[in-house]
Amino acid sequence: MSRYVFTSESVTEGHPDKICDQVSDAVLDALLAQDPASRVACETVVNTGLCLITGEVTTTARVDFNTLVRGVINQIGYAGARAGGFDAHSCAVLVALDQQSPDIAQGVNEADDHDGDPLDLIGAGDQGIMFGYACNETPELMPLPISLAHRLARRLAEVRHNGSLGYLLPDGKTQVSVVYEDDRPVAIDTILISTQHTAEIDGISEEKAIRERIATDLWTHVVEPATADLALKPSQADTRFLVNPTGKFVVGGPQGDAGLTGRKIIVDTYGGYARHGGGAFSGKDPTKVDRSAAYAARYVAKALVAADLASKVEVQLSYAIGVARPVSILVESFGTGALSNADLTALVHEHFDLRPGAIIETFGLRTLPQQRGGRFYQDVAAYGHFGRSDLDLPWEDVTTIAATLKQATAAQVAA
């Protein structure tokens, strides 16, 4: 029997890097809501008292970026004296956005390999490799460690926003270590939560006493509610629970550490459980295959698992800049497939259109911000882009395509 421990982490919306992801995606949402054909590559930097947005944009939209950026920072919770060196109302907001390079635009506007099909006209916005993954460890077909880490991070933010734990501040991280036996999760070994907090809690200022108070509150208000509906639960008797291991966490957010867009790509995807092509998501419009093809790869992998064709699947896609069709498609089922990897790959070729134009059309990636009141991508910029039961994400809805795959392979599987 093989036994091992696998660990994944998440971060809250107030983490410096996540602030940047949300600002970059808020810019994308605002531009696409006005002009769905906008080309956007927006990067954000935050530090004490400063937020800089830079990158390349081609659009007809008119946006007050200063007000937009301050609004995002305020929603996250960095406002007033409690913000500690990073306040939505007083921080400097610098805007340095240029127009997209005509060399890149040329390849996206008209693919090198088009044959008149409208969906062939859009070339990939860059070369690169993307991975998608799914497994049957959780109802949302995500690996359990990252699923738990996100649950805890979301709940940590929730009790801060609703005032249940009024001493919490926006910055925070979670980490979960899960015990596996024969590749199945059997126990939760360790939970780690680091959360920013006020210097004093209900008159308590001694470091050890503060940490004990926070640990007690987090178990009651965060860990237990976040895992209440799970078959595999942590227990105070068997699960090691670590809270703010350095002793205190008062200075946080951009005052404690600079932040950049795209520095939490493992948090955004599968928690290290699957391979990653290296491309970040936030701030990029759907012609950038770093984003859109990663969503498509997750859709393919999840559909194959949902169709009971494997218990875990990793899908790799690759693209060339200015070329519409993927350079390569590979399916790996790690020995769990009802069909061979070659047959599963052939099935993907037959049933999925993975050209950028087709991906954009299938998921409505250009029009979602407009359809949802001006905000879509900002919502996936924190707490993961996959397995989100709290959001209606088109690449997570595989009911129809899974049924099609099941029907198409029934004879092969039965044989």
Side-chain angles (χ1 to χ4, degrees):
M1 178 178 69
S2 67
R3 181 182 173 92
Y4 59 90
V5 178
F6 192 90
T7 303
S8 294
E9 72 157 352
S10 182
V11 297
T12 66
E13 66 214 48
H15 185 281
D17 295 329
K18 274 291 149 215
I19 297 171
C20 295
D21 287 341
Q22 289 165 94
V23 168
S24 291
D25 272 339
V27 170
L28 176 66
D29 278 336
L31 295 174
L32 289 179
Q34 290 186 39
D35 175 12
S38 296
R39 297 281 172 73
V40 183
C42 178
E43 312 292 344
T44 302
V45 183
V46 295
N47 204 340
T48 304
L50 169 68
C51 181
L52 162 69
I53 56 174
T54 186
E56 297 78 44
V57 170
T58 302
T59 184
T60 61
R62 294 290 177 265
V63 174
D64 180 349
F65 292 113
N66 192 296
T67 300
L68 177 72
V69 169
R70 293 186 190 281
V72 173
I73 296 168
N74 186 59
Q75 290 165 20
I76 292 169
Y78 287 104
R82 284 164 54 93
F86 190 70
D87 178 6
H89 307 296
S90 63
C91 70
V93 175
L94 305 182
V95 180
L97 295 171
D98 297 322
Q99 192 164 9
Q100 185 184 49
S101 158
D103 295 341
I104 295 174
Q106 175 180 294
V108 178
N109 292 339
E110 184 173 350
D112 181 67
D113 59 336
H114 79 85
D115 59 5
D117 182 336
L119 296 182
D120 259 343
L121 291 175
I122 299 176
D126 200 355
Q127 71 174 56
I129 55 174
M130 299 85 213
F131 288 93
Y133 185 81
C135 63
N136 60 7
E137 290 180 13
T138 61
E140 65 272 24
L141 304 185
M142 287 286 286
L144 183 60
I146 188 65
S147 179
L148 288 175
H150 284 323
R151 278 174 174 250
L152 295 173
R154 283 199 304 269
R155 180 63 184 170
L156 189 61
E158 185 181 335
V159 296
R160 174 175 63 85
H161 282 298
N162 68 24
S164 298
L165 299 179
Y167 57 81
L168 294 181
L169 296 176
D171 198 357
K173 301 177 85 169
T174 63
Q175 188 169 286
V176 180
S177 301
V178 175
V179 180
Y180 284 78
E181 290 180 357
D182 293 331
D183 292 331
R184 301 302 303 172
V186 296
I188 299 171
D189 180 83
T190 303
I191 290 175
L192 165 61
I193 301 178
S194 294
T195 180
Q196 189 185 11
H197 59 88
T198 57
E200 188 176 287
I201 300 173
D202 295 338
I204 303 170
S205 56
E206 197 270 321
E207 191 173 293
K208 184 172 183 291
I210 284 181
R211 186 160 56 159
E212 289 173 353
R213 166 68 184 274
I214 295 173
T216 300
D217 285 350
L218 291 187
W219 188 271
T220 302
H221 293 276
V222 175
V223 177
E224 288 184 337
T227 58
D229 62 331
L230 298 176
L232 187 63
K233 293 182 177 65
S235 72
Q236 287 185 298
D238 300 320
T239 302
R240 182 169 52 162
F241 185 44
L242 304 175
V243 174
N244 289 356
T246 62
K248 64 178 180 178
F249 187 178
V250 175
V251 177
Q255 183 189 17
D257 191 13
L260 295 170
T261 299
R263 279 208 304 201
K264 286 292 173 282
I265 58 175
I266 300 303
V267 171
D268 285 343
T269 52
Y270 308 102
Y273 206 88
R275 284 173 282 200
H276 196 294
F281 299 155
S282 291
K284 296 178 181 177
D285 76 81
T287 65
K288 277 71 171 179
V289 282
D290 277 342
R291 178 170 222 152
S292 54
Y295 292 169
R298 161 65 177 172
Y299 180 71
V300 172
K302 187 177 183 182
L304 292 171
V305 173
D308 297 322
L309 294 173
S311 59
K312 54 182 173 181
V313 165
E314 185 181 76
V315 175
Q316 187 201 49
L317 306 176
S318 69
Y319 291 85
I321 187 168
V323 179
R325 298 182 184 279
V327 173
S328 66
I329 301 171
L330 174 65
V331 177
E332 172 59 67
S333 63
F334 307 97
T336 70
L339 302 174
S340 69
N341 288 340
D343 285 342
L344 291 173
T345 301
L347 191 69
V348 172
H349 277 280
E350 183 179 351
H351 289 276
F352 296 88
D353 191 340
L354 297 169
R355 294 171 294 173
I359 294 169
I360 291 167
E361 185 175 274
T362 298
F363 299 145
L365 296 179
R366 279 180 167 153
T367 54
L368 281 166
Q370 199 173 69
Q371 292 168 359
R372 301 194 184 183
R375 176 169 171 158
F376 174 75
Y377 290 106
Q378 187 186 339
D379 288 330
V380 292
Y383 312 115
H385 293 243
F386 307 124
R388 296 290 297 271
S389 56
D390 59 318
L391 299 175
D392 178 18
L393 304 178
W395 54 88
E396 291 293 316
D397 181 6
V398 298
T399 305
T400 301
I401 186 62
T404 300
L405 296 177
K406 210 163 192 173
Q407 185 176 8
T409 57
Q412 280 177 281
V413 172

